[in-house]
Amino acid sequence: MELSEMYFWMIIIICGVLNVPIIVLTEDLKTKNRYKKYLKISFIIGLIGIIMLLTDWNYLCGYQCLVYTFSPFVTLLICRAVMILSKKITKKEGFQIHRKQQIIGTSKIELSDGIYQKNNGDLKYGGYYSWYTFFISATPVIILFLILIIIRENTC
């Protein structure tokens, strides 16, 4: 493996890993200014993929490198869409929750905060928040995998 290939894979892995904080910290996406700032940053990261494709620095099949580098951007858009759709459909604001392990076999449900934004949810809607957390976590992953499969089937 040469150095340029190693740098390529490092960029791809970093772009994939950036999806995790976006999904976990979606409370910060509720503020429009932060959402726009994150969107600009993730779009600039995605432009790296276009540069990689134009310079033929691509060790993947077809346009898969674009999917990986634009995955933080797509994840932001999908998370925001899930937030808006859930609010319009249920007429309630969704909040993410997480389970905190207390003792082996028992867990406690807590509201999940963002970096800048505090979670203002009420745990009496725990069932709704569980479904909301599932959809906001699973939807970007499923859609990105489907895009990768479609690209692989059509371009490789």
Side-chain angles (χ1 to χ4, degrees):
M1 180 181 291
E2 18 180 282
L3 191 60
S4 66
E5 186 176 357
M6 191 166 55
Y7 286 143
F8 172 83
W9 288 112
M10 284 174 52
I11 290 170
I12 296 298
I13 290 170
I14 289 170
C15 289
V17 169
L18 282 175
N19 291 327
V20 175
I22 291 171
I23 292 172
V24 172
L25 304 171
T26 56
E27 289 302 308
D28 291 336
L29 300 179
K30 292 181 180 177
T31 308
K32 285 193 178 189
N33 290 336
R34 276 198 205 95
Y35 172 69
K36 288 180 181 178
K37 184 190 308 184
Y38 290 170
L39 208 59
K40 288 176 188 176
I41 292 169
S42 63
F43 186 75
I44 290 170
I45 291 169
L47 290 177
I48 293 170
I50 292 174
I51 293 169
M52 292 164 90
L53 201 61
L54 291 175
T55 59
D56 202 28
W57 185 37
N58 187 3
Y59 295 96
L60 291 170
C61 182
Y63 297 102
Q64 288 178 336
C65 131
L66 284 178
V67 175
Y68 283 112
T69 55
F70 272 104
S71 65
F73 182 75
V74 172
T75 301
L76 278 170
L77 293 175
I78 293 170
C79 286
R80 185 69 175 199
V82 168
M83 293 165 78
I84 292 169
L85 282 173
S86 69
K87 190 172 184 178
K88 287 189 184 229
I89 291 171
T90 63
K91 308 289 190 246
K92 281 192 276 189
E93 177 115 27
F95 295 97
Q96 269 195 318
I97 58 173
H98 68 276
R99 297 190 184 276
K100 184 177 181 181
Q101 190 76 23
Q102 289 182 326
I103 302 173
I104 297 175
T106 64
S107 62
K108 180 181 175 185
I109 295 175
E110 292 183 348
L111 296 170
S112 179
D113 294 333
I115 295 174
Y116 304 103
Q117 184 98 4
K118 180 139 173 61
N119 193 331
N120 296 321
D122 187 5
L123 282 177
K124 70 179 180 179
Y125 301 115
Y128 169 65
Y129 294 163
S130 294
W131 280 104
Y132 175 80
T133 302
F134 171 76
F135 279 110
I136 208 160
S137 301
T139 307
V141 174
I142 291 169
I143 290 175
L144 286 170
F145 276 135
L146 287 174
I147 292 171
L148 282 171
I149 290 170
I150 289 168
I151 286 176
R152 182 168 187 178
E153 292 298 319
N154 292 324
T155 61
C156 293

